[in-house]
Every structure is written in structure tokens, then in C-alpha cells.
Amino acid sequence: VGQLRFSREARVLSTLQSIKSVVSVLDWFEDNNTSYIVMEYVRGITLEVYVREHEIEPQRLISMMRELVDSLIMVHAQGVLHRDISPDNIMVQEDRTLKLIDFGAATSEVRRARGRDQTVIFNRRFAPLEQYDENGEQGPWTDVYALSATLYYLVSGQLPTESAARKGKDSLKPLSEGKLHLKKWQKKAIMDGLILQPD
């Protein structure tokens, strides 16, 4: 199963070579009953480590994320879902631009993914409700939720409540008005992205 997932990651990434904020695959092959991926070397640290080590204003973080958001739109336009966006899967390069990495949970077709196509491994703090449900319908909204959860965590310093724990009485705290130097519409956009029901 792991080898199949690894080969699938290589195939998916090979279709995204022209997208700037996505890690590039230079080659991939199978030999000795093992799969290999030759990838671009991304020199930098994860976004989570970067934010922890630097005092970064929320507004600046939003600006840094802009190009990655645009790239994610292009990823979806090419028929790919990442399905595991988190602060650990975004790298900050030496020039402070971002790269989206780890497409191991990706699917190469944007569709209402069901059953066996569901993501088995995902970061629960950043995963939407449909990834917990074997009948859950996945699409671009799945990545929107994870990206919004990532932004929520990085601008507030608080991990979002797991989506599965938010069913019934929603305990997710809204982004505070006082502490964050974000515009009201930016806070609303992040909170809207964290709505449990995709529709």
C-alpha cells in the first residue's frame, strides 16, 4: 500500500511541474521492488517552525501565503486534491517564498471521492469532517478547509478544534477581534473556510 501511495504521489506531482509553489519532481522510477522519487531540493524550514522562530505579523503571513493560495487554485484546476495541507507540509524557502510539499495523500482527480479513495492518513487538527467519513464527499473544499485551519493556527497561535469534535455543539473559537491585526474580511474568510458543511 505504501509503495502504491508513493508511486501515486510521483505521478500526481509530475502533472504539476509548471506551478510555482508546488515542489517539483525531476524523475521517478520503480526498481528492486521499491519506488523512488527524485525531487527538487527545497532549502528552508516548515512554515510552523518559521512562524515559531520569527515574530511575524499576521498581515505579513497572509501576504506570504497569497502565491501559495493562487498555486492551489491551479492545482485544483489541473484536477488534483492535496488532502493533507498543514503547517508541516508548507516549506519557507531562503527567499521567504513558500512551497507546498508531501502529496502522498493526493488524488489525481477532483471528484466526489468516496470509500477506498478516502485519505487514510491525515493531520486531524487540520482535516475537514469529510475526511473522517468513508462516505464523505471530497473536492477543492477539502483543501480549503485544511488551508483555513492552517491559517487559523498560524495567525492565532491556537490549534483549531478537530472537525470531528465540532459536530453538535461547535467549540471552535472565532478569531479574536482585539489581538490580531487582520482586516475583518480576512478573519471572516478564514472562519468561512472552517465551516463544517462544504455546501
Side-chain angles (χ1 to χ4, degrees):
V1 174
Q3 187 175 344
L4 287 172
R5 186 180 292 127
F6 196 73
S7 296
R8 181 177 65 186
E9 178 179 5
R11 284 193 298 274
V12 167
L13 278 169
S14 69
T15 68
L16 306 175
Q17 295 301 293
S18 62
I19 301 177
K20 185 174 181 182
S21 296
V22 173
V23 65
S24 297
V25 166
L26 307 175
D27 195 10
W28 67 279
F29 57 93
E30 295 179 3
D31 200 7
N32 303 318
N33 295 317
T34 303
S35 295
Y36 301 87
I37 303 178
V38 182
M39 304 177 85
E40 131 187 52
Y41 178 65
V42 179
R43 189 184 298 274
I45 57 176
T46 67
L47 186 55
E48 178 163 21
V49 171
Y50 182 84
V51 169
R52 193 168 59 236
E53 291 182 353
H54 298 76
E55 288 190 20
I56 179 167
E57 288 292 319
Q59 197 63 251
R60 185 163 157 253
L61 177 66
I62 296 283
S63 296
M64 286 176 68
M65 292 288 284
R66 182 62 201 212
E67 192 168 68
L68 185 135
V69 171
D70 290 342
S71 291
L72 188 60
I73 292 168
M74 295 172 68
V75 167
H76 291 159
Q78 292 204 27
V80 174
L81 300 178
H82 186 281
R83 303 198 300 178
D84 193 21
I85 296 172
S86 73
D88 286 332
N89 285 337
I90 299 170
M91 296 289 291
V92 182
Q93 301 181 101
E94 291 179 325
D95 63 359
R96 296 183 184 171
T97 59
L98 305 182
K99 283 273 185 184
L100 185 59
I101 63 169
D102 194 353
F103 279 71
T107 181
S108 59
E109 187 180 329
V110 174
R111 63 184 178 279
R112 296 189 173 237
R114 292 180 179 269
R116 285 180 295 178
D117 189 51
Q118 296 296 88
T119 303
V120 176
I121 300 168
F122 54 86
N123 189 324
R124 292 178 179 274
R125 286 292 188 175
F126 303 97
L129 202 55
E130 62 266 21
Q131 285 187 280
Y132 287 84
D133 181 358
E134 67 177 25
N135 294 314
E137 297 177 348
Q138 296 181 24
W141 54 87
T142 304
D143 286 342
V144 169
Y145 183 98
L147 185 64
S148 299
T150 295
L151 282 166
Y152 179 97
Y153 169 56
L154 294 174
V155 300
S156 71
Q158 301 295 316
L159 281 166
T161 307
E162 289 182 29
S163 58
R166 293 174 55 202
K167 290 195 321 186
K169 184 177 179 183
D170 193 347
S171 58
L172 182 67
K173 293 179 182 176
L175 290 172
S176 62
E177 293 292 326
K179 288 194 247 177
L180 298 176
H181 300 294
L182 287 177
K183 296 173 182 171
K184 192 176 276 189
W185 67 266
Q186 291 172 323
K187 294 175 187 176
K188 183 178 185 309
I190 293 170
M191 295 305 296
D192 284 353
L194 288 166
I195 291 172
L196 290 178
Q197 300 303 326
D199 55 343

